Amino acid sequence: MNTDLAGTTWIANFVYTRCSDICPMLMQKMSGLQDLIQKRGWHNLKLVTFSADPLNDTPETLKAYGDRFGVDDSEWLLLTGPLEEVEKSVIRGFKITMLKQSTDLNSFSILHGDQFVLVDAHGKIRGYYSQSDMQKLEKGIEQLLRE
């Protein structure tokens, strides 16, 4: 992943494909950011969605999920990998919560951060934005791209 994003400003979020709660909203917001990137002609800016359930979210599952939200593979990466590596990236790298919780014998939910994370071209986190802060995120992107 690091080589794919080296020298690129990017926005990360965290979802899992079997989520029926907040994840579809987060994906809709990312889809809106993808539209904004295309509308503004912003270059050197990528979107990155990390699976918070890498045991179930295979690359094929993520691809199908992304298709539901109009993911353009040239601008938006959907990433999964070994659980240990994903946890390392999400929890230690981004300082975002990620925890699988059993709700009963037959189901579970995954607690994960719902922030959007703005990362500069040097890999430094420049800000965390909630769903209600999309205008602030847009301003943060504009400022970062001018630097």
Side-chain angles (χ1 to χ4, degrees), residues 113-144:
D114 63 353
Q115 301 94 348
F116 296 89
V117 182
L118 182 58
V119 180
D120 69 19
H122 304 287
K124 180 180 175 192
I125 294 173
R126 299 294 289 265
Y128 293 86
Y129 300 86
S130 71
Q131 292 181 67
S132 60
D133 288 337
M134 298 311 283
Q135 288 183 329
K136 288 180 184 176
L137 174 56
E138 185 178 338
K139 290 180 194 290
I141 293 166
E142 289 172 342
Q143 178 181 349
L144 200 48

Side-chain angles (χ1 to χ4, degrees), residues 16 18-19 23 52-54 56 98-101 108-112:
Y16 65 103
R18 298 189 302 169
C19 172
C23 297
D53 185 17
N56 292 295
M98 186 176 124
L99 175 67
K100 188 172 186 175
Q101 297 179 313
F108 69 92
S109 68
I110 296 176
L111 177 64
H112 61 88

Side-chain angles (χ1 to χ4, degrees), residues 10 17 30 34 37 44 57 62 69 71 76-77 83 93 107 113 121 130 136-137:
W10 48 289
T17 62
M30 284 292 259
Q34 178 179 260
I37 290 168
N44 210 30
D57 290 344
L62 283 173
F69 296 95
V71 168
W76 188 351
L77 305 171
L83 179 60
S107 64
S130 71
K136 288 180 184 176
L137 174 56

Side-chain angles (χ1 to χ4, degrees), residues 36-88:
L36 187 64
I37 290 168
Q38 292 169 348
K39 179 181 171 186
R40 296 277 177 92
W42 286 336
H43 302 288
N44 210 30
L45 178 64
K46 299 281 186 195
L47 303 174
V48 182
T49 296
F50 290 87
S51 169
D53 185 17
L55 297 177
N56 292 295
D57 290 344
T58 64
E60 297 79 20
T61 303
L62 283 173
K63 171 75 171 114
Y65 189 68
D67 288 346
R68 290 179 34 203
F69 296 95
V71 168
D72 178 342
D73 295 336
S74 69
E75 296 173 342
W76 188 351
L77 305 171
L78 285 87
L79 302 178
T80 189
L83 179 60
E84 185 176 296
E85 289 300 312
V86 172
E87 286 179 337
K88 180 179 163 186

Side-chain angles (χ1 to χ4, degrees), residues 9-25:
T9 298
W10 48 289
I11 302 156
N13 77 335
F14 312 89
V15 303
Y16 65 103
T17 62
R18 298 189 302 169
C19 172
S20 60
D21 186 28
I22 195 167
C23 297
M25 284 190 292

